[in-house]
Amino acid sequence: SSMIARYLDEVEAGMARAIRVGSHGYEDDGESGIPPSYFSYNITKWELNGGHNDVGLPTANALAMEVGRFPLFLEGPTRYMKTVIDNKGDVGDMYKKVKVSGLRDEELKMYYVSASLEGQSYDMGRMMAFSPGWLENQSIWMHMSYKYYLELLRGKLYDEFFSEMTGGGMLPFMDPVKYGRSLMECSSFLASSVFPDPSMHGRGFSARLSGSTAEFLSIWKLIFIGSNPYYLDESGKVVLSLKPAIPAWMFKDVSNKNAADPSYDEDGNLTISFKLFALITVTYHNSKGTDLYDVTPTGYKVTLADGTVKNIAGGVIPTDLAITIRKIYG
């Protein structure tokens, strides 16, 4: 409707205005082009309106206010990417800006939850009570980082996403000695490279299985299944189509001597498998041995519980079989 359109126009205008206002902090002149996350507002002009609050203090109407700016937080560009997720160019531009900003921890090859808070007022809240590199003060907030990485994958920056993952930004590709705990266990935060004690850089603290795990499940789904496996076709019928984002090295990793041995089918094609709905084994046969980025299979071989085999040509599984698969037990 026209009302929703006007509302969306206002939201877009507000985001553009926020980027123009920008951020401000240590070695940050506000010209990065990265959306800020927070502002403060100080009322500079007002008039009494004759009212009083519950404890008898007079109330006033604000006539003018001054906007206060803060350093960058990773939340800003992450949420911005959601609004341009269908434009790979815009997502890529923002990724490049973030990578060279104060949000990048070059030593750990990760991303701070915030840029440096040096010189900020204690009015910012409890984050100012922590040493730099600890908790909300410029540490590596694992859940926030995973949210950022998820947007890279949703924005189809496949090479960039997997580079960040295997470069140590995600489990299990972190250095286990630095991390200081099982690589199968998420942490609330990691002490970043600005923490005063260098021996703690990259160490995970406060085991956590909620936010990071939820983001990782979304990442896993995009890698192996795709964003929208079930949808309505042009005739309004439910169909199924897998569209993974699997890099070639997941089939066979020649650069890692500790990688698992590759699997092959009877024709010598590389394979990889996962469980759909926790019960159905799905195997991709990579006949070309290349990255499988945002492509559908050229065909499906579906084996039902009674041993019946259905061969489907093309990348879409038709309605009856799609529904049978979704019901799992038929």
Side-chain angles (χ1 to χ4, degrees):
S1 70
S2 59
M3 181 181 71
I4 294 177
R6 291 199 301 272
Y7 173 78
L8 292 175
D9 288 342
E10 287 295 324
V11 172
E12 293 288 344
M15 289 190 297
R17 187 165 57 248
I19 294 177
R20 287 199 302 271
V21 173
S23 56
H24 188 267
Y26 179 71
E27 296 185 344
D28 178 6
D29 60 4
E31 299 297 323
S32 67
I34 298 172
S37 299
Y38 307 108
F39 298 104
S40 65
Y41 300 92
N42 183 36
I43 296 175
T44 58
K45 186 178 180 180
W46 66 90
E47 63 179 7
L48 296 176
N49 58 24
H52 294 81
N53 65 10
D54 293 341
V55 296
L57 296 176
T59 56
N61 295 329
L63 300 178
M65 62 179 65
E66 182 181 71
V67 177
R69 299 183 295 170
F70 292 112
L72 290 170
F73 285 76
L74 191 55
E75 186 87 33
T78 300
R79 291 190 174 272
Y80 171 80
M81 285 180 174
K82 291 177 180 287
T83 70
V84 295
I85 205 66
D86 293 326
N87 189 322
K88 184 177 179 179
D90 287 349
V91 177
D93 287 344
M94 186 54 58
Y95 169 72
K96 292 176 183 176
K97 291 175 181 178
V98 172
K99 194 168 184 178
V100 297
S101 75
L103 291 170
R104 176 71 171 181
D105 188 331
E106 281 296 340
E107 178 184 319
L108 298 179
K109 306 301 180 186
M110 299 178 186
Y111 294 90
Y112 303 121
V113 67
S114 73
S116 173
L117 303 184
E118 181 176 333
Q120 297 300 309
S121 166
Y122 278 87
D123 289 339
M124 281 194 76
R126 76 171 199 167
M127 64 185 67
M128 295 303 298
F130 302 121
S131 297
W134 191 261
L135 284 170
E136 286 100 329
N137 189 343
Q138 208 181 353
S139 75
I140 308 298
W141 206 257
M142 186 173 283
H143 182 193
M144 188 67 248
S145 295
Y146 275 35
K147 288 169 69 175
Y148 177 69
Y149 296 138
L150 172 60
E151 294 312 309
L152 299 183
L153 191 56
R154 291 182 66 227
K156 300 184 179 181
L157 298 186
Y158 301 120
D159 289 334
E160 293 85 347
F161 168 80
F162 286 111
S163 176
E164 295 286 354
M165 171 191 269
T166 59
M170 292 180 64
L171 296 173
F173 295 96
M174 295 179 186
D175 183 335
V177 176
K178 284 186 176 181
Y179 189 56
R181 62 194 326 123
S182 168
L183 295 180
M184 297 294 107
E185 181 178 81
C186 293
S187 298
S188 179
F189 72 97
L190 283 69
S192 73
S193 65
V194 299
F195 189 67
D197 183 352
S199 69
M200 293 294 168
H201 294 179
R203 185 171 294 272
F205 292 89
S206 300
R208 195 156 190 154
L209 301 176
S210 55
S212 301
T213 305
E215 306 301 341
F216 188 80
L217 287 173
S218 295
I219 289 170
W220 179 92
K221 173 180 174 288
L222 289 176
I223 292 175
F224 288 102
I225 300 173
S227 62
N228 190 31
Y230 280 91
Y231 61 94
L232 299 179
D233 64 12
E234 295 178 353
S235 62
K237 294 182 178 180
V238 175
V239 294
L240 168 62
S241 181
L242 300 176
K243 189 177 286 189
I246 307 175
W249 60 261
M250 280 195 179
F251 288 90
K252 182 179 181 180
D253 192 350
V254 296
S255 64
N256 184 356
K257 64 180 181 180
N258 297 317
D261 292 333
S263 298
Y264 299 89
D265 62 18
E266 59 275 11
D267 296 321
N269 297 316
L270 289 162
T271 64
I272 194 171
S273 299
F274 72 96
K275 285 293 184 70
L276 181 65
F277 307 133
L279 287 172
I280 302 173
T281 300
V282 176
T283 301
Y284 288 115
H285 300 254
N286 192 345
S287 57
K288 295 183 179 180
T290 59
D291 298 324
L292 299 184
Y293 289 162
D294 201 33
V295 294
T296 58
T298 56
Y300 300 86
K301 179 180 178 182
V302 182
T303 303
L304 303 180
D306 62 3
T308 303
V309 175
K310 303 284 187 178
N311 290 298
I312 308 297
V316 179
I317 295 177
T319 302
D320 291 345
L321 189 54
I323 292 174
T324 299
I325 293 171
R326 184 63 187 91
K327 290 182 176 180
I328 301 174
Y329 295 109

